[in-house]
């Protein structure tokens, strides 16, 4: 199967009135800030909002997160892929799908499949096909209804990380070439899944980025036919 054929096997969860969103981008892109703004915006509209992170979100997933991000030894790219996929499958079945059964619920992920495509598929050279083949079975073939990709260049990511002056995790310690490949990987993922991934300029002001998020978000879930009671 071609990459495009593999991508066609993915679908969004079907729970009327509930939605699955994700935010993507390299470190320092501003995902956390925009997730908070979107959460507050949706809650003001009467939605029940649940924010989850990858890897993590479950007891199993959080243990995997610590094992990966705190590792002081190289992890084989195939091992990285399957660790992230394992955490993802558990989070989808244990939390996400159960929560989406409740009407007017929005589940927001901080990172999802597109991070795996960028990190392991592109930057670790496993290739998109390897990632997509690993995700062909349910529930890993589920994708968000809408993904916001906050795009920034690698040098801006590094400068923002320096401003934070926080300890670097396993992936943040990688060099410039790794981050350049991450940006390229995200760009390729955005092209492959152009029907759900919206690319935004993360170098704009926080308010400007949020304004560009609001319109497609409203088009997806805040139309008059599906607006919850306030």
């Amino acid at each position: 199967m071609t990459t495009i054929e593999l991508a066609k096997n993915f679908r969004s969860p079907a729970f009327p009135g509930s939605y699955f969103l994700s935010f993507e981008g390299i470190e320092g892109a501003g995902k956390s800030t925009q997730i908070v703004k979107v959460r507050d915006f949706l809650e003001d509209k009467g939605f029940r909002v649940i924010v989850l992170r990858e890897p993590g979100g479950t007891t199993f997933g959080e243990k995997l997160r610590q094992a990966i991000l705190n590792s002081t030894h190289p992890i084989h790219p195939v091992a990285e892929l399957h660790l992230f996929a394992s955490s993802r499958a558990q989070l989808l079945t244990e939390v996400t799908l159960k929560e989406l059964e409740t009407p007017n619920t929005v589940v927001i992920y901080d990172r999802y499949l597109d991070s795996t495509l960028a990190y392991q598929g592109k930057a670790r050279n496993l290739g998109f096909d390897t990632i997509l083949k690993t995700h062909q079975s349910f529930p890993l073939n589920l994708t968000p209804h809408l993904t916001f990709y906050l795009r920034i260049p690698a040098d801006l990511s590094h400068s923002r990380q320096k401003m934070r002056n926080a300890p670097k995790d396993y992936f943040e310690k990688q060099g410039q070439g790794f981050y350049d490949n991450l940006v390229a990987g995200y760009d390729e993922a955005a092209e492959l899944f152009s029907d759900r991934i919206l690319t935004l300029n993360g170098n704009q002001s926080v308010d400007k980025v949020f304004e560009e998020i609001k319109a497609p978000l409203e088009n997806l879930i805040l139309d008059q036919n599906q607006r919850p009671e306030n």
Side-chain angles (χ1 to χ4, degrees), residues 19 45 47 104 217-230:
Y19 299 91
K45 298 295 182 180
F47 283 91
N104 295 331
L217 189 59
E218 289 176 330
N219 288 338
L220 175 68
I221 62 179
L222 295 181
D223 60 89
Q224 292 297 321
N225 293 329
Q226 296 174 330
R227 190 185 302 275
E229 293 294 329
N230 289 322

Side-chain angles (χ1 to χ4, degrees), residues 30-174:
K31 294 185 285 80
S32 298
T33 299
Q34 294 301 330
I35 286 173
V36 170
K37 292 182 75 68
V38 168
R39 180 198 65 195
D40 293 346
F41 173 75
L42 292 172
E43 287 180 342
D44 286 344
K45 298 295 182 180
F47 283 91
R48 172 176 171 263
V49 182
I50 297 165
V51 177
L52 301 167
R53 66 179 183 177
E54 278 209 344
T58 65
T59 300
F60 175 74
E62 290 296 330
K63 289 180 179 178
L64 285 184
R65 181 184 184 88
Q66 294 305 314
I68 298 167
L69 299 185
N70 293 335
S71 178
T72 57
H73 300 283
I75 303 172
H76 192 280
V78 173
E80 287 181 9
L81 164 59
H82 287 282
L83 286 169
F84 283 115
S86 296
S87 175
R88 181 167 301 142
Q90 189 66 23
L91 183 58
L92 285 165
T93 54
E94 184 177 328
V95 182
T96 307
L97 294 176
K98 291 180 180 179
E99 296 293 352
L100 287 173
E101 290 178 355
T102 301
N104 295 331
T105 294
V106 179
V107 174
I108 302 175
Y109 269 39
D110 184 344
R111 298 194 183 282
Y112 191 61
L113 169 66
D114 307 305
S115 282
T116 308
L117 290 168
Y119 277 76
Q120 284 72 47
K122 185 69 173 183
R124 295 300 199 208
N125 297 311
L126 291 182
F128 274 26
D129 286 5
T130 298
I131 309 303
L132 297 176
K133 287 176 182 176
T134 303
H135 288 73
Q136 289 294 291
S137 299
F138 182 84
L140 291 175
N141 64 342
L142 295 175
T143 55
H145 294 91
L146 188 58
T147 296
F148 299 102
Y149 164 38
L150 278 59
R151 189 184 192 279
I152 61 171
D155 57 351
L156 179 57
S157 173
H158 287 303
S159 65
R160 287 181 175 178
Q161 289 182 55
K162 287 181 180 178
M163 290 176 61
R164 291 177 183 173
N165 196 30
K168 292 182 179 295
D169 66 29
Y170 178 74
F171 290 108
E172 292 167 355
K173 294 175 182 177
Q174 306 300 312

